[in-house]
Amino acid sequence: MWVPLAAFLTSFHVHQLSSHSFVKYHLTGKMSSFHISRGLLVAFKQTVKTSSGLAPPRLQQSVLTPRCIQRRWANTRPKDPRRSKEPMSWKTLAGTAVLGSGLLGFMYYLKRKKEFAIDQERRRAVGKASLGGRFELVDQNGRPCTSDDLLGQWLLLYFGFTHCPDICPDELEKMAAAVDVVAGTPNMPRVQPVFITVDPLRDGVEAVRKYVKEFHPQLLGLTGTVEQVKQACKAYRVYFSEGPKDDDNDYIVDHTIIMYLIDPEGQFVDYYGQTKTADEVAASVLVNMAKYNKLKKGSFW
């Protein structure tokens, strides 16, 4: 049965069957049913095309090896941008640098703003709880002067009285020297020296005006009623007490010997006792000014 079929196949372009990918050997008479069926189908197609006047085209074998399949699949897969080997352009690097700088600047801005807010709250709490407050007095020219009028400038504040024999003059001279040192420092604001009397009964406007002229041309002298002076002393916790009077009705006022540094917002910053020198006071004032300016700038950048 197989012999006639094999003869039939050999009569229809046996050379084409032998070159087909599914027939790996020449026809020897030993063929399976798969080979025979495949051969019959190919022979039938070639016979039909020959009878219609068309020359039988040559069958081209397309063998897909594993390597070819891998290459074709690799060409059809979408490229992963993360695996791109192209170097980064200068525009990308510049954009990354600008973005990073902006983020770092913003973080620094938030940090400085937080530090400024914390310091402001701390100093405000200290000022309210310990030292500082509003007062209403009269200056050496007879004009009303309140604590609000002195906002926006640094103050060195000292409490004393015009009849003081030695301590008050020494402290006012020291304060005047410190003010001059600060004024001679470049890029630093000036300090306004202020003298507040603790003896309003004897230190009227005229007495205060004559007294402050002896120490510094910028020295501001303040006086007022007994109640006004008491309120100012209470705000800064200044102790004062009249001593016994002599035959001439003269007396000494015992009081706190302290110089106060006030910032432009009216907040207490620091104080200086009798043992501090003018240079030490000036150095402390400059340090506190620099710190204040730095915190102020930190609120923006």
Side-chain angles (χ1 to χ4, degrees), residues 132 153-157 236 260-270:
Q153 56 187 334
W154 289 87
L155 305 178
L156 272 176
L157 189 61
Y236 287 90
Y260 300 93
L261 177 64
I262 311 299
D263 70 11
E265 298 178 7
Q267 302 296 322
F268 164 75
V269 178
D270 206 348

Side-chain angles (χ1 to χ4, degrees), residues 14-62:
V14 176
H15 62 280
Q16 305 220 10
L17 290 175
S18 62
S19 64
H20 198 272
S21 60
F22 292 97
V23 180
K24 301 298 181 178
Y25 49 83
H26 296 283
L27 297 176
T28 58
K30 296 180 181 181
M31 303 178 67
S32 65
S33 59
F34 171 76
H35 297 118
I36 295 173
S37 301
R38 186 69 179 179
L40 288 173
L41 179 60
V42 173
F44 178 76
K45 289 182 178 180
Q46 299 301 322
T47 302
V48 172
K49 292 182 179 181
T50 302
S51 61
S52 62
L54 299 175
R58 182 178 179 182
L59 296 178
Q60 295 182 357
Q61 182 180 1
S62 177

Side-chain angles (χ1 to χ4, degrees), residues 10-300:
T10 55
S11 63
F12 288 94
H13 308 288
V14 176
H15 62 280
Q16 305 220 10
L17 290 175
S18 62
S19 64
H20 198 272
S21 60
F22 292 97
V23 180
K24 301 298 181 178
Y25 49 83
H26 296 283
L27 297 176
T28 58
K30 296 180 181 181
M31 303 178 67
S32 65
S33 59
F34 171 76
H35 297 118
I36 295 173
S37 301
R38 186 69 179 179
L40 288 173
L41 179 60
V42 173
F44 178 76
K45 289 182 178 180
Q46 299 301 322
T47 302
V48 172
K49 292 182 179 181
T50 302
S51 61
S52 62
L54 299 175
R58 182 178 179 182
L59 296 178
Q60 295 182 357
Q61 182 180 1
S62 177
V63 181
L64 297 178
T65 63
R67 185 179 297 276
C68 294
I69 295 175
Q70 183 178 8
R71 289 177 180 176
R72 291 187 180 183
W73 173 250
N75 293 332
T76 57
R77 286 184 298 178
K79 293 184 178 181
D80 190 352
R82 295 174 299 179
R83 296 184 178 181
S84 176
K85 297 182 180 180
E86 297 181 359
M88 297 179 66
S89 64
W90 66 270
K91 293 183 178 179
T92 303
L93 293 175
T96 304
V98 171
L99 181 60
S101 300
L103 291 175
L104 289 176
F106 184 68
M107 292 174 63
Y108 179 76
Y109 158 75
L110 293 179
K111 179 181 178 182
R112 300 303 302 166
K113 186 176 182 180
K114 182 179 179 181
E115 291 178 354
F116 177 77
I118 292 175
D119 185 76
Q120 285 291 95
E121 185 63 27
R122 178 186 63 80
R123 293 195 295 120
R124 187 178 296 111
V126 170
K128 288 182 178 180
S130 300
L131 296 171
R134 195 174 186 279
F135 56 79
E136 296 180 1
L137 297 169
V138 179
D139 66 13
Q140 71 267 31
N141 297 314
R143 294 189 296 259
C145 180
T146 68
S147 55
D148 294 338
D149 297 329
L150 301 177
L151 294 177
Q153 56 187 334
W154 289 87
L155 305 178
L156 272 176
L157 189 61
Y158 180 78
F159 291 82
F161 63 107
T162 62
H163 289 74
C164 181
D166 48 15
I167 296 179
C168 290
D170 292 342
E171 292 299 299
L172 289 176
E173 288 178 357
K174 180 171 65 178
M175 184 169 66
V179 168
D180 289 339
V181 171
V182 174
T185 305
N187 302 322
M188 284 296 179
R190 72 181 187 90
V191 181
Q192 173 62 55
V194 180
F195 167 79
I196 299 179
T197 182
V198 294
D199 187 14
L201 296 177
R202 293 184 298 181
D203 293 343
V205 173
E206 183 65 23
V208 171
R209 181 170 64 250
K210 293 180 180 179
Y211 187 70
V212 296
K213 284 183 179 180
E214 299 177 4
F215 299 99
H216 199 280
Q218 297 178 358
L219 182 58
L220 175 65
L222 299 177
T223 185
T225 66
V226 175
E227 292 299 325
Q228 288 176 330
V229 170
K230 284 184 177 180
Q231 180 62 35
C233 292
K234 181 179 180 181
Y236 287 90
R237 297 195 175 185
V238 173
Y239 162 80
F240 69 98
S241 175
E242 294 181 5
K245 296 180 181 180
D246 58 15
D247 297 337
D248 297 329
N249 204 28
D250 194 12
Y251 57 89
I252 298 296
V253 179
D254 185 20
H255 63 89
T256 303
I257 307 172
I258 286 180
M259 198 181 304
Y260 300 93
L261 177 64
I262 311 299
D263 70 11
E265 298 178 7
Q267 302 296 322
F268 164 75
V269 178
D270 206 348
Y271 69 94
Y272 312 104
Q274 193 175 0
T275 58
K276 293 289 185 179
T277 64
D279 291 336
E280 290 173 338
V281 172
S284 175
V285 171
L286 292 173
V287 168
N288 283 287
M289 282 183 172
K291 181 180 179 181
Y292 178 85
N293 293 336
K294 184 178 180 181
L295 289 173
K296 271 294 186 182
K297 290 180 180 179
S299 64
F300 171 72

